[in-house]
């Protein structure tokens, strides 16, 4: 009996050793395979990786794509997927010549036919189709040469072609209805998407046929983890489970700077945060009401109390980094809307909001000034919303904060179902005032209607002389400052924390990770 128990016992030991050996082998192999994995922690998950099916981009979907043109570190527009282009005549026709070595992730060439098909899908179905201009035709001239003809000149095309919205994608992976990109995504960018874990992460690998500038990729894989809770993001970074922490919560920057193993990267953002509203709502129809709201806002207080001072106040419609920015307009807006509570109350009274209920909320015709403010799941934005809520209450305006998923805001605001929102936009050209904010039938968030501004923005879009374009945008901005259809707030400083890298760079103009520079420390 003893001998049988001993044999059974020894067999169990052998079994355990074999299993543990296998596990160690698997762990070792997994560790080896993930030695150069880069884990990026960020707040929000993109609603889609299909660039023609989203109106929002971020680090988690941008690397899928490579652009026709790009911005260099000084902000100059230079060739990227193309070698050169030729503007013909008055600018309605442009011939583009492609590089002959670019390849989609599917293995198919980025040739003229592929670019043509991609543009046709963009124009027919993308929420950002206007970024391509009013295209009359796209003609394939040769395997790697194509011509775009516009119905009118479209000056913003070249700056727009530096963004992923106009980047070519491989339409051959789509089904008959032009869908299915999420299943087999194929761009020509530095990262190839290998797995989508909705609600958790996106996993990429470096694309071997991308131009790595004569070097091998300095990493083996990239995982974008979506962690809305900022304390969890910080904890995961400190534990070493995250290598790149984007949008570092401002209250933790000083603490991280004390860690000798952590490097802090600061880049001035090109994204303008603003307080907006649905201008078709009756409560916002009176310009005096809109001006009163603008006069009630103290930007510096928001920046100091929610962003730890890591932002710059903006009063005019455009931040400094955008073509069309005017120092004259910024000064004018600052002079007009520096916080003045008494002036704000006076304007509200002149607009008929001259009674208050027992809670101090102003009233008109027996109805209180109470509106809902949408804000996304970014904790910093939620704190900013709370400060705004308190500031507007000082003039008797009651704000009810509603936290929404970013995807919901993106989907619902074009339908005009919201009242107010705390949101942002980032674009390198003043044409953003046209295609996103204030253009005719194009105002996706603010729903503002003004025929004079439509006319000016339309003229600016077809004006090929840059100086003349700037003057037109200045004219439009002057009207916007007076009309106050939204309240520009600030431009944040993008703060990124990294560890365990030999090299890691962020583009100084478009604020994105330069994956050709990323090399994990051995």
């Amino acid at each position: 009996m003893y001998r049988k128990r001993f044999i059974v016992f020894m067999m169990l030991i052998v079994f355990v050793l074999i299993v543990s050996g296998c596990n160690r082998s698997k762990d070792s192999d997994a560790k080896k395979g993930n030695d150069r994995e880069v884990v990026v922690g960020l707040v929000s998950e993109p609603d889609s990786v299909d660039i023609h099916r989203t109106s929002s981009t971020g680090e988690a979907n941008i690397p899928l794509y490579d652009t026709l043109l790009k911005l260099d570190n000084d902000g100059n527009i230079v060739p990227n997927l193309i070698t050169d282009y030729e503007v013909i005549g008055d600018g309605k026709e442009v011939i583009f010549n492609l590089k002959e070595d670019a390849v989609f992730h599917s293995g198919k060439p980025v040739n003229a036919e592929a670019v043509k098909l991609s543009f046709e899908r963009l124009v027919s179905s993308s929420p950002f189709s206007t970024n391509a201009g009013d295209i009359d035709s796209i003609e394939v001239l040769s395997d790697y040469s194509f011509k775009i003809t516009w119905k009118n000149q479209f000056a913003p095309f070249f700056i727009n072609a530096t963004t992923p919205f106009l980047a070519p994608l491989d339409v051959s992976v789509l089904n008959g209805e032009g869908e299915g990109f999420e299943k087999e995504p194929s761009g020509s960018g530095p990262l190839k998407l290998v797995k989508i874990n909705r609600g958790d992460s996106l996993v990429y690998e470096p694309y071997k046929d991308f131009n790595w500038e004569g070097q091998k990729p300095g990493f083996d894989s990239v995982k974008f983890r979506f962690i809305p809770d900022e304390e969890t993001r910080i904890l995961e970074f400190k534990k070493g489970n995250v290598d790149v922490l984007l949008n570092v919560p401002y209250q933790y920057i000083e603490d991280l700077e004390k860690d000798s193993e952590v490097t802090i990267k600061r880049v001035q953002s090109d994204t303008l945060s603003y307080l907006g509203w649905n201008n078709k709502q009756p409560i916002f129809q009176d310009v005096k009401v809109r001006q009163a709201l603008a006069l009630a806002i103290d930007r510096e207080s928001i920046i100091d109390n929610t962003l730890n001072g890591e932002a710059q106040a903006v009063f005019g419609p455009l931040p400094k980094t955008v073509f069309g920015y005017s120092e004259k307009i910024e000064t004018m807006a600052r002079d007009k809307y520096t916080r003045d509570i008494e002036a704000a109350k006076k304007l509200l009274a002149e607009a008929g909001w001259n009674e208050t209920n027992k809670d101090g909320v102003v009233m008109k015709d027996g109805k209180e000034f109470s509106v809902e403010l949408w804000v996304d799941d970014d904790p910093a934005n939620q704190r900013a919303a709370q400060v705004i809520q308190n500031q507007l209450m000082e003039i008797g305006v009651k704000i009810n904060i509603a936290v929404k998923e970013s995807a919901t805001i993106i989907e619902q605001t074009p339908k005009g179902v919201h009242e107010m929102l705390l949101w942002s936009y980032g674009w390198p050209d003043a044409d953003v005032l046209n295609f996103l904010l204030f253009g005719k039938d194009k105002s996706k968030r603010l729903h503002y209607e003004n025929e004079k501004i439509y006319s000016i923005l339309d003229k600016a879009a077809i004006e090929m002389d840059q100086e003349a374009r700037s003057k037109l945008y200045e004219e439009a901005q002057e009207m916007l400052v007076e009309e106050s259809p939204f309240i520009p707030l600030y431009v944040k400083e993008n703060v990124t924390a990294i560890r365990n890298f030999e090299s890691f760079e962020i583009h100084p103009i478009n604020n994105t990770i330069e994956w050709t520079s990323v090399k994990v420390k051995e």
Side-chain angles (χ1 to χ4, degrees), residues 34-46:
N34 290 320
D35 274 351
R36 300 200 309 165
E37 178 188 50
V38 177
V39 180
V40 182
L42 65 170
V43 178
S44 300
E45 178 179 9

Side-chain angles (χ1 to χ4, degrees), residues 135 332 481:
I135 292 178
M332 169 189 165
V481 170

Side-chain angles (χ1 to χ4, degrees), residues 129-162:
S129 60
T130 54
N131 286 343
D134 194 358
I135 292 178
D136 187 48
S137 66
I138 302 176
E139 182 182 355
V140 173
L141 303 179
S142 68
D143 286 349
Y144 292 95
S145 179
F146 63 96
K147 181 174 72 173
I148 298 180
T149 302
W150 287 269
K151 294 178 181 176
N152 292 296
Q153 297 94 332
F154 186 60
F157 178 84
F158 301 97
I159 188 73
N160 292 352
T162 69

Side-chain angles (χ1 to χ4, degrees), residues 180 213 224 298 362 449 489:
E213 300 176 357
F224 291 95
D298 181 356
V362 294
E449 298 178 344
L489 296 175

Side-chain angles (χ1 to χ4, degrees), residues 45-54 56-57 60-62 64-65 121 169 180-187 193 195-196 198 202 204 226:
E45 178 179 9
D47 57 335
S48 176
V49 297
D50 184 341
I51 202 65
H52 294 167
R53 294 293 178 267
T54 182
S56 180
T57 59
N61 57 5
I62 285 176
L64 256 174
Y65 303 96
R121 182 175 186 256
L169 59 78
F181 193 82
E182 302 280 329
K183 293 181 179 179
E184 294 185 80
S186 178
L193 186 60
K195 192 172 185 181
I196 297 177
R198 278 295 171 199
L202 295 180
Y204 290 84
F226 311 117

Side-chain angles (χ1 to χ4, degrees), residues 442-482:
K442 301 172 187 173
S443 189
K444 293 180 171 63
R445 314 276 181 247
L446 302 173
H447 300 280
Y448 178 68
E449 298 178 344
N450 186 310
E451 292 291 340
K452 289 183 179 179
I453 291 177
Y454 294 161
S455 176
I456 296 170
L457 295 178
D458 284 343
K459 288 178 183 176
I462 64 174
E463 176 55 66
M464 302 300 284
D465 182 278
Q466 295 292 62
E467 186 175 345
R469 280 188 77 214
S470 290
K471 289 181 179 178
L472 287 168
Y473 286 128
E474 188 171 86
E475 184 181 351
Q477 289 178 80
E478 189 169 352
M479 294 179 65
L480 290 170
V481 170
E482 183 63 34

Side-chain angles (χ1 to χ4, degrees), residues 175-375:
N175 61 23
E177 288 73 44
E179 304 299 328
F181 193 82
E182 302 280 329
K183 293 181 179 179
E184 294 185 80
S186 178
S188 60
L191 301 187
K192 180 179 179 179
L193 186 60
V194 294
K195 192 172 185 181
I196 297 177
N197 303 305
R198 278 295 171 199
D200 180 74
S201 60
L202 295 180
V203 181
Y204 290 84
E205 64 184 18
Y207 182 47
K208 60 181 177 60
D209 288 328
F210 184 74
N211 178 16
W212 293 95
E213 300 176 357
Q215 305 292 324
K216 291 183 179 180
F219 55 95
D220 297 323
S221 64
V222 181
K223 176 185 284 187
F224 291 95
R225 290 183 56 195
F226 311 117
I227 314 173
D229 182 73
E230 55 189 26
E231 288 189 5
T232 304
R233 273 188 292 132
I234 284 290
L235 182 60
E236 287 294 279
F237 180 74
K238 287 185 172 182
K239 288 165 61 177
N241 296 330
V242 168
D243 307 299
V244 180
L245 185 63
L246 299 176
N247 304 117
V248 176
Y250 297 100
Q251 67 272 28
Y252 294 104
I253 294 174
E254 186 176 353
D255 179 43
L256 291 177
E257 285 179 324
K258 296 175 183 177
D259 189 334
S260 61
E261 295 183 355
V262 173
T263 299
I264 298 294
K265 297 275 187 178
R266 282 182 167 86
V267 178
Q268 188 66 55
S269 171
D270 63 349
T271 300
L272 176 64
S273 295
Y274 66 87
L275 178 64
W277 47 79
N278 181 353
N279 281 277
K280 287 187 177 180
Q281 292 277 342
I283 204 166
F284 299 115
Q285 292 289 302
D286 195 321
V287 66
K288 291 183 178 180
V289 168
R290 303 195 299 267
Q291 291 174 340
L293 294 174
L295 280 165
I297 296 300
D298 181 356
R299 293 161 178 79
E300 295 299 341
S301 177
I302 301 172
I303 292 169
D304 290 341
N305 289 301
T306 69
L307 306 174
N308 200 33
E310 303 273 357
Q312 287 186 337
V314 177
F315 287 77
L318 297 174
K320 283 186 178 181
T321 55
V322 174
F323 171 82
Y325 167 83
S326 166
E327 190 65 37
K328 170 189 169 183
I329 295 297
E330 180 64 20
T331 300
M332 169 189 165
R334 186 181 296 271
D335 291 344
K336 188 174 182 65
Y337 293 119
T338 294
R339 195 178 200 224
D340 188 333
I341 291 297
E342 293 308 313
K345 289 180 177 179
K346 184 173 182 292
L347 283 170
L348 280 180
E350 291 174 2
W353 298 92
N354 47 21
E355 302 175 28
T356 57
N357 61 20
K358 62 180 180 178
D359 297 320
V361 180
V362 294
M363 301 180 68
K364 180 179 180 180
D365 299 329
K367 184 178 179 181
E368 67 178 19
F369 199 132
S370 176
V371 293
E372 185 176 74
L373 170 62
W374 285 11
V375 62

